[in-house]
Amino acid sequence: MLWLEVIVVLGAIYFGARLGSIGIGYAGGIGILVLTLGMGLKLGSIPIDVILIIMSVIAAIGAMQVAGGLDYMVSIAEKILRKNPKQIVFLAPIVTYIMTFFAGTGHTAFSTLPVIAEVAKEQGIRPSRPLSIAVVASQIAITASPISAAVVFLSGVLEPLGVGYLEILAVCIPSSFLACMVAALVSGFLGKPLKDDPVYQERLAKGLIKMRGETKLEIKPGAKLSVGIFLFAILAVVTYATMISGKVGLIENPVVGRDSAIMLFMLTAAALIAFFTKIDSAQVLNSSTFKSGMSACICVLGVAWLGSTFVVNHIDAIKVFAGDLLNHYPWMLAVVLFFASTLLYSQAATAKALIPAAIALGVAPVSIVASFAAVSALFVLPTYPTLIAAVEMDDTGSTRIGKFVFNHPFIIPGVIAIALSVAFAFVIGGLIL
């Protein structure tokens, strides 16, 4: 029966991948239905906390987007990229990393990808080089963002083990950023020079390549204010989390816990943005970030619930099979998280599904934190939204998916970035934790 249950889980994930986007969440529901009502398994826990955090953060980001805040951030990013065009391979991942770090979602990269592609093309640089590492950086930065659902969940389950929110950030921020920069260095040498690429030459001859020039974004009057309010809310989250931390202890027995505080601060930020910038709140529902965020909620609901249902029914068998292996080779947890995230399409869903099992197996907290970056292997299958967008926005054809599916320009920088992030985190974590 165990193997049949594994087939059901993998089959649901495969079916969801075929449906695409929010479909993986739908398919997760089918898998749970078969495992519980069909095969008699005990129902796993619903990832309510993760979903609520995503919803509240996206509510604030959606308000900021309607107020023009994202356009303002993109205009700043474009100025940085165009001021130093020769360094586009390094600046592109820095820009997407920072935007994801502050927003808590990698979908903010959508707005910067066209700029990255254009600047690279204008400089005769193969666009696949900056685009590939920019997409990867936007995914890995989730594991360093103070308001991402994945980080908040990890800190929640590790806090009873003596590892706090700030300690996780102290390990994950430098390790992930340094790893992305090394991967960017490697990306600068991947693929043929643009002028020698036959696909580019063919598209150039057919007149399919256009130079759009600098984008003229109309910055709304309340754009800067909306960004300021959002950034202040993030600062408030980190400050409050520090004050209620058991190791700092400025506030004992807090009335509001950290997870609830994040939701409250984000909803308050959304309300302040809506009030002071005088936006039509109804427009938030139609914003691209709000739609992608709500899609992420459904995906986490279906997939993480599916993973929890399977794990909770087989935790004893998993302990016997994997306990000794992970205790002797703790880095193997990173391998497990890597391959799981390629199927689950969500850092939060992967963490929610597997981190509790790792804790139950007795894996050391430092190994869990160090392996955390591996939940960001969303680039392996060329179906993730930001990856697809990067391919579509590069009219030179250099950012293309090979006929063997996995031979695309995101694989090498992505694997390098995650491997190095895990390695750096083991070193930094050994010093801090």
Side-chain angles (χ1 to χ4, degrees):
M1 288 294 290
L2 175 61
W3 288 109
L4 186 57
E5 292 163 11
V6 170
I7 292 172
V8 170
V9 172
L10 294 179
I13 293 173
Y14 175 77
F15 178 57
R18 291 290 300 272
L19 292 177
S21 185
I22 198 172
I24 194 168
Y26 297 161
I30 296 176
I32 298 166
L33 185 68
V34 174
L35 291 178
T36 53
L37 298 183
M39 305 178 74
L41 268 63
K42 181 172 66 173
L43 193 63
S45 60
I46 302 174
I48 295 293
D49 50 350
V50 173
I51 293 171
L52 292 179
I53 289 170
I54 294 175
M55 290 176 65
S56 56
V57 171
I58 289 298
I61 295 175
M64 183 173 66
Q65 181 179 14
V66 173
L70 284 185
D71 286 341
Y72 175 64
M73 293 171 67
V74 171
S75 68
I76 294 175
E78 182 169 7
K79 289 177 182 177
I80 294 172
L81 293 172
R82 290 190 179 279
K83 189 175 181 179
N84 304 278
K86 295 294 184 182
Q87 304 301 319
I88 186 71
V89 176
F90 293 99
L91 291 176
I94 291 175
V95 166
T96 56
Y97 184 100
I98 291 175
M99 291 184 70
T100 298
F101 176 85
F102 284 115
T105 170
H107 292 293
T108 53
F110 279 118
S111 53
T112 59
L113 293 178
V115 179
I116 294 170
E118 287 302 308
V119 172
K121 187 168 54 176
E122 291 167 3
Q123 295 298 315
I125 297 171
R126 186 180 180 88
S128 63
R129 294 172 178 174
L131 282 172
S132 59
I133 186 58
V135 168
V136 169
S138 73
Q139 295 176 356
I140 292 182
I142 287 291
T143 61
S145 172
I147 58 170
S148 75
V151 168
V152 174
F153 169 76
L154 182 68
S155 65
V157 295
L158 289 184
E159 203 156 30
L161 302 179
V163 178
Y165 174 72
L166 296 178
E167 291 168 308
I168 291 173
L169 293 177
V171 173
C172 292
I173 292 173
S175 60
S176 59
F177 183 77
L178 288 174
C180 288
M181 290 301 96
V182 176
L185 178 63
V186 176
S187 296
F189 297 95
L190 297 178
K192 295 180 180 180
L194 186 60
K195 60 184 178 60
D196 298 329
D197 190 318
V199 175
Y200 168 71
Q201 293 296 339
E202 181 182 347
R203 295 181 65 83
L204 187 63
K206 293 180 179 179
L208 299 176
I209 298 173
K210 299 178 180 178
M211 297 293 183
R212 297 181 180 86
E214 189 169 353
T215 307
K216 298 296 182 182
L217 290 174
E218 181 182 348
I219 306 302
K220 297 180 180 179
K224 294 181 182 180
L225 179 59
S226 69
V227 172
I229 292 172
F230 185 75
L231 293 180
F232 183 79
I234 295 174
L235 179 62
V237 167
V238 176
T239 302
Y240 184 78
T242 302
M243 294 173 68
I244 67 172
S245 169
K247 296 187 177 181
V248 176
L250 292 178
I251 299 178
E252 296 183 1
N253 302 316
V255 176
V256 179
R258 185 194 55 250
D259 292 9
S260 298
I262 291 175
M263 300 174 205
L264 292 177
F265 284 131
M266 288 295 112
L267 290 176
T268 300
L272 293 175
I273 291 171
F275 179 77
F276 286 109
T277 64
K278 297 179 174 57
I279 63 171
D280 180 359
S281 298
Q283 293 181 9
V284 175
L285 303 178
N286 294 318
S287 67
S288 60
T289 52
F290 187 86
K291 290 178 180 178
S292 63
M294 293 306 106
S295 174
C297 286
I298 299 299
C299 291
V300 170
L301 171 62
V303 173
W305 197 5
L306 174 65
S308 172
T309 298
F310 178 79
V311 169
V312 76
N313 283 275
H314 298 289
I315 188 63
D316 292 334
I318 293 172
K319 286 181 179 179
V320 172
F321 178 76
D324 290 339
L325 181 65
L326 288 176
N327 284 325
H328 284 92
Y329 307 101
W331 54 268
M332 284 294 294
L333 175 61
V335 177
V336 173
L337 294 175
F338 182 95
F339 286 106
S341 64
T342 65
L343 300 173
L344 300 183
Y345 278 16
S346 166
Q347 294 94 335
T350 304
K352 183 75 177 181
L354 297 177
I355 295 297
I359 293 173
L361 291 172
V363 178
V366 64
S367 300
I368 294 175
V369 175
S371 301
F372 183 46
V375 302
S376 296
L378 312 182
F379 55 81
V380 175
L381 295 175
T383 51
Y384 197 73
T386 48
L387 189 152
I388 295 173
V391 173
E392 293 177 348
M393 291 172 185
D394 180 10
D395 61 5
T396 69
S398 70
T399 311
R400 55 182 180 268
I401 310 301
K403 62 181 179 180
F404 299 110
V405 181
F406 294 102
N407 57 327
H408 53 73
F410 305 89
I411 279 285
I412 294 177
V415 171
I416 290 174
I418 284 185
L420 289 178
S421 185
V422 171
F424 292 157
F426 266 106
V427 175
I428 299 172
L431 299 174
I432 295 178
L433 304 181

